[in-house]
Amino acid sequence: MFSFGGGSSLTSVAPDATPAPAAPPGTGTGANAQVLYVFNRGGVCLLYREWHRPLRTLDPTQDQKLMFGLLFSLRSFTAKIDPTTAEKGNLGVPLLPGQGCSFYCFKTNTYKLNFLESPSGIKLILITHPRTGDQRDTLKHIYNLYVEYVVKNPLYAPGTPIKCELFNKHLDQYVKTLI
C-alpha cells in the first residue's frame, strides 16, 4: 500500500499488500516517532535523530542522501501532476518553498513519512508508525523548537549540523509525549 496526503492525493494499493503491523506497546496516542531528519534547502542534513528504528539497512550518509532525493522527487512529482494549475514546469527542477502542489505525508504498510517545509526551505521529516494520525501540528511544534533553540542561538552557524543540547533536550521531551 502506498498513499499520499496533501494538496493532491493519489492512492495505489498493491493487490498483495500486507496489513500494517500492530502498534508497539506504549504508543497510547499511536504517534510512535521513530526517526527525525532536518535538512536545509541545499540538502545538507542538519539533524538526524532516532528514537525507535528496529533495523538499520544503510549507513547514515546513504540514508540521508536517499531521504533528501526522495523528498526532492516527490515534491517535483506532486507539482507536476497538480490538477489545479496549468504551469507544470519541468520534472526535477527545484521548486521554491510554497511553490506548486505539495504533500505532507505518505504511508506504506510499515511506516508513515510526515513532511513539513518552512518558508526558509528547512525540511523536517518525521517517520512514524503507519497508524499514526496527522502530524502537521507535531512538525510545526518541532520547527518552533528549532527556531527557538537553534536559529536564535548566537553560537549556531547556519548550515552546520545541529549540536545544541537545549534543542535536543526539548525535542526528546516533546517526542516522549507522543509515544
Side-chain angles (χ1 to χ4, degrees):
M1 176 176 71
F2 190 74
S3 61
F4 285 93
S8 296
S9 64
L10 298 171
T11 304
S12 173
V13 179
D16 55 76
T18 58
T27 55
T29 61
N32 193 26
Q34 297 173 358
V35 180
L36 175 72
Y37 299 83
V38 178
F39 290 99
N40 69 9
R41 75 174 73 167
V44 175
C45 187
L46 304 177
L47 180 73
Y48 174 82
R49 297 284 287 192
E50 285 184 19
W51 292 281
H52 172 73
R53 187 170 189 178
L55 180 64
R56 287 186 196 100
T57 56
L58 300 170
D59 73 68
T61 303
Q62 287 179 320
D63 186 36
Q64 293 161 10
K65 286 179 183 178
L66 284 172
M67 181 58 67
F68 188 79
L70 172 69
L71 291 174
F72 182 87
S73 298
L74 282 174
R75 274 197 80 234
S76 179
F77 178 71
T78 56
K80 187 74 173 170
I81 66 168
D82 181 2
T84 63
T85 181
E87 295 180 26
K88 301 296 183 195
N90 294 323
L91 194 59
V93 174
L95 299 171
L96 297 173
Q99 185 181 31
C101 177
S102 71
F103 72 98
Y104 61 88
C105 70
F106 77 78
K107 179 170 84 169
T108 70
N109 63 327
T110 57
Y111 69 90
K112 182 176 178 182
L113 183 144
N114 304 275
F115 174 70
L116 174 77
E117 183 171 15
S118 75
S120 63
I122 297 295
K123 295 164 184 61
L124 291 98
I125 301 95
L126 182 64
I127 308 294
T128 60
H129 189 272
R131 293 186 182 163
T132 302
D134 187 356
Q135 294 296 300
R136 285 181 282 185
D137 287 339
T138 298
L139 287 168
K140 287 175 187 173
H141 184 80
I142 292 171
Y143 179 72
N144 288 336
L145 291 174
Y146 166 78
V147 169
E148 190 64 34
Y149 296 106
V150 178
V151 175
K152 293 181 179 180
N153 182 346
L155 301 176
Y156 176 70
T160 61
I162 299 169
K163 297 190 187 305
C164 178
E165 288 302 319
L166 273 176
F167 173 72
N168 290 333
K169 176 184 163 191
H170 284 89
L171 177 63
D172 288 341
Q173 286 175 347
Y174 180 66
V175 167
K176 284 179 186 176
T177 68
L178 302 174
I179 296 176

